[in-house]
Amino acid sequence: MDYRQKFQNQLNRLKSESRYRHFVELERVAGQHPHARYHGPDGERDVIVWCSNDYLGMGQHPKVVSAMADAVATHGTGAGGTRNISGTSHAMVALESELAELHNKERALVFTSGYVANEASISALAAQLPGCIIFSDEMNHASIISGIRYARTEKAIFRHNDIAHLEELLAAQPIDRPKLIIFESVYSMDGDTSPIAEIAALARKYQALTYLDEVHAVGMYGDQGGGIAQMRGLEDEIDIIQGTLGKAFGTVGGYIAADDVICDMVRSAGSGFIFTTALPPALSVGACASVRHLKASPAERHAQQRQAKRLKDKAVAAGLPVMPGETHIVPVMIGDAAATQRICQLLLADFGLYVQPINYPTVPRGTERLRLTPGPLHTDAMIDDLVDALVTVLARVHAEGMSSTG
């Protein structure tokens, strides 16, 4: 049997459907974000990145850079082992304490990524509740879906942000059956937010645990950057808050914050926590410096929100198909995989603007889009140039005969 040919056939199918992932080689340079060096087939050149998850530019903040550099010199580069086997550094414990305080919870646990945090925590908690049923928003992230799968328990999918449908599903279950409701605060492909208060109220009514994924909101919202739940004064209504260090905090890693018993259960039963090498001390120190800075400084959040609003207003005025939303994420609906890919190629080749196409399976077929993430370091002139370039490129793609809502 020719296994490689079978794999190649599948890869060719992805290419024919314009779903093959092309990786753009970038060189981030501290102090120059959102500029980056693009290493392409014709050599190197400067580009402006418009799709980074380093939402606030904290990956180059002097406090974070110096803290991490000093920690490498002091502690070395590696963690030395798993959390259970020599990997629980003093820096890690300090970071977890900072994160617990950020979310007004008793405890926090740090993982190697937000994906692992979801996968390990959800599977561990549900597995310890015999007969548990998980209620999951239909737009939840792949890491949540994976955690539910590994939990090997019954699930019920409720329509996106549909409170009535969620209550219908909850009401159909015995009141004493263990229940876990999982949802996100900011949905990163549409830029919308969830009805946290209403879901928390249903959880109380039907005796369910709540698990809120805040990865696209931590650092970004709330008086201290605790996320949407903090901004709305609802942190105490949520049992488990999950976040990431790899987006607004500008480093790497994921975490959960909850009460002591829940964290201890995940610490004791979560495979992705137990059997993975811990974050190195330098990363913990850098992340801690970022969290502490954003807890005290709203300047980055305010500047980011100002630039997001400017981009949305400019894009709408220019007739671009921007999806409405209240967050920092600016989706531009294209509705065709080939057109989306072509638009991104032209933006990079002709204008030096890097945007990654978002195609199926990340979003449903027919809803392919651009996902723009303006930050505090994108200038007004950069925003004007991006909107002008988008108008030009969408018109060109339409003229080429490729379908597009633009």
Side-chain angles (χ1 to χ4, degrees), residues 181-343:
I181 304 173
I182 306 176
F183 59 112
E184 302 181 33
S185 63
V186 174
Y187 289 88
S188 65
M189 291 301 125
D190 288 358
D192 58 336
T193 63
S194 59
I196 299 174
E198 291 86 346
I199 292 176
L202 287 181
R204 290 192 301 272
K205 180 177 179 180
Y206 294 98
Q207 299 182 20
L209 281 174
T210 47
Y211 185 108
L212 177 62
D213 179 317
E214 290 250 40
V215 297
H216 292 278
V218 291
M220 304 293 291
Y221 303 96
D223 292 341
Q224 294 185 309
I228 299 292
Q230 183 181 89
M231 182 179 74
R232 296 178 183 172
L234 298 169
E235 284 179 313
D236 293 343
E237 303 295 322
I238 301 299
D239 296 299
I240 303 121
I241 293 176
Q242 183 264 348
T244 185
L245 304 168
K247 293 182 170 62
F249 292 127
T251 55
V252 69
Y255 65 89
I256 63 167
D259 66 32
D260 186 72
V261 171
I262 288 174
C263 287
D264 204 14
M265 190 71 262
V266 174
R267 185 186 75 91
S268 301
S271 293
F273 180 86
I274 297 170
F275 298 107
T276 301
T277 298
L279 284 188
L283 281 168
S284 296
V285 169
C288 199
S290 182
V291 173
R292 285 174 178 163
H293 175 79
L294 290 175
K295 282 169 74 174
S297 172
E300 291 83 3
R301 289 189 284 278
H302 292 166
Q304 189 282 326
Q305 290 160 11
R306 181 181 64 247
Q307 295 309 80
K309 183 179 186 305
R310 179 181 174 84
L311 175 56
K312 290 176 185 178
D313 290 346
K314 286 274 183 179
V316 170
L320 294 172
V322 174
M323 297 174 62
E326 58 188 297
T327 68
H328 58 286
I329 294 165
V330 185
V332 180
M333 181 61 68
I334 305 302
D336 179 86
T340 305
Q341 189 174 86
R342 176 64 172 155
I343 288 165

Side-chain angles (χ1 to χ4, degrees), residues 49-370:
V49 179
W50 278 102
C51 55
S52 174
N53 283 342
D54 187 0
Y55 292 136
L56 301 177
M58 291 302 294
Q60 66 167 30
H61 195 283
K63 287 183 181 178
V64 179
V65 173
S66 62
M68 191 175 291
D70 291 346
V72 169
T74 302
H75 304 295
T77 57
T82 64
R83 289 295 299 272
N84 187 52
I85 304 176
S86 83
T88 298
S89 63
H90 175 68
M92 175 75 75
V93 174
L95 172 59
E96 289 178 336
S97 177
E98 198 73 35
L99 291 167
E101 183 181 285
L102 173 66
H103 295 291
N104 194 32
K105 299 296 183 187
E106 290 180 348
R107 191 168 175 182
L109 284 181
V110 168
F111 301 76
T112 50
S113 72
Y115 193 106
V116 174
N118 271 336
E119 194 174 70
S121 301
I122 293 167
S123 59
L125 291 172
Q128 301 305 313
L129 296 170
C132 179
I133 179 171
I134 296 175
F135 299 86
S136 179
D137 188 290
E138 67 178 345
M139 296 295 288
N140 277 342
H141 189 263
S143 57
I144 293 174
I145 295 170
S146 182
I148 294 171
R149 182 181 299 117
Y150 285 132
R152 295 181 175 87
T153 190
E154 186 179 348
K155 67 179 184 295
I157 308 301
F158 60 93
R159 291 187 291 270
H160 180 51
N161 283 346
D162 190 330
I163 294 300
H165 188 218
L166 174 58
E167 180 160 24
E168 178 185 330
L169 295 171
L170 286 165
Q173 299 299 322
I175 193 66
D176 59 350
R177 183 178 187 182
K179 307 174 190 71
L180 177 61
I181 304 173
I182 306 176
F183 59 112
E184 302 181 33
S185 63
V186 174
Y187 289 88
S188 65
M189 291 301 125
D190 288 358
D192 58 336
T193 63
S194 59
I196 299 174
E198 291 86 346
I199 292 176
L202 287 181
R204 290 192 301 272
K205 180 177 179 180
Y206 294 98
Q207 299 182 20
L209 281 174
T210 47
Y211 185 108
L212 177 62
D213 179 317
E214 290 250 40
V215 297
H216 292 278
V218 291
M220 304 293 291
Y221 303 96
D223 292 341
Q224 294 185 309
I228 299 292
Q230 183 181 89
M231 182 179 74
R232 296 178 183 172
L234 298 169
E235 284 179 313
D236 293 343
E237 303 295 322
I238 301 299
D239 296 299
I240 303 121
I241 293 176
Q242 183 264 348
T244 185
L245 304 168
K247 293 182 170 62
F249 292 127
T251 55
V252 69
Y255 65 89
I256 63 167
D259 66 32
D260 186 72
V261 171
I262 288 174
C263 287
D264 204 14
M265 190 71 262
V266 174
R267 185 186 75 91
S268 301
S271 293
F273 180 86
I274 297 170
F275 298 107
T276 301
T277 298
L279 284 188
L283 281 168
S284 296
V285 169
C288 199
S290 182
V291 173
R292 285 174 178 163
H293 175 79
L294 290 175
K295 282 169 74 174
S297 172
E300 291 83 3
R301 289 189 284 278
H302 292 166
Q304 189 282 326
Q305 290 160 11
R306 181 181 64 247
Q307 295 309 80
K309 183 179 186 305
R310 179 181 174 84
L311 175 56
K312 290 176 185 178
D313 290 346
K314 286 274 183 179
V316 170
L320 294 172
V322 174
M323 297 174 62
E326 58 188 297
T327 68
H328 58 286
I329 294 165
V330 185
V332 180
M333 181 61 68
I334 305 302
D336 179 86
T340 305
Q341 189 174 86
R342 176 64 172 155
I343 288 165
C344 293
Q345 291 170 346
L346 290 172
L347 286 172
L348 183 62
D350 295 353
F351 296 92
L353 304 175
Y354 170 49
V355 180
Q356 187 68 15
I358 306 295
N359 292 333
Y360 177 84
T362 305
V363 294
R365 295 180 192 272
T367 68
E368 294 84 0
R369 68 198 65 179
L370 313 177

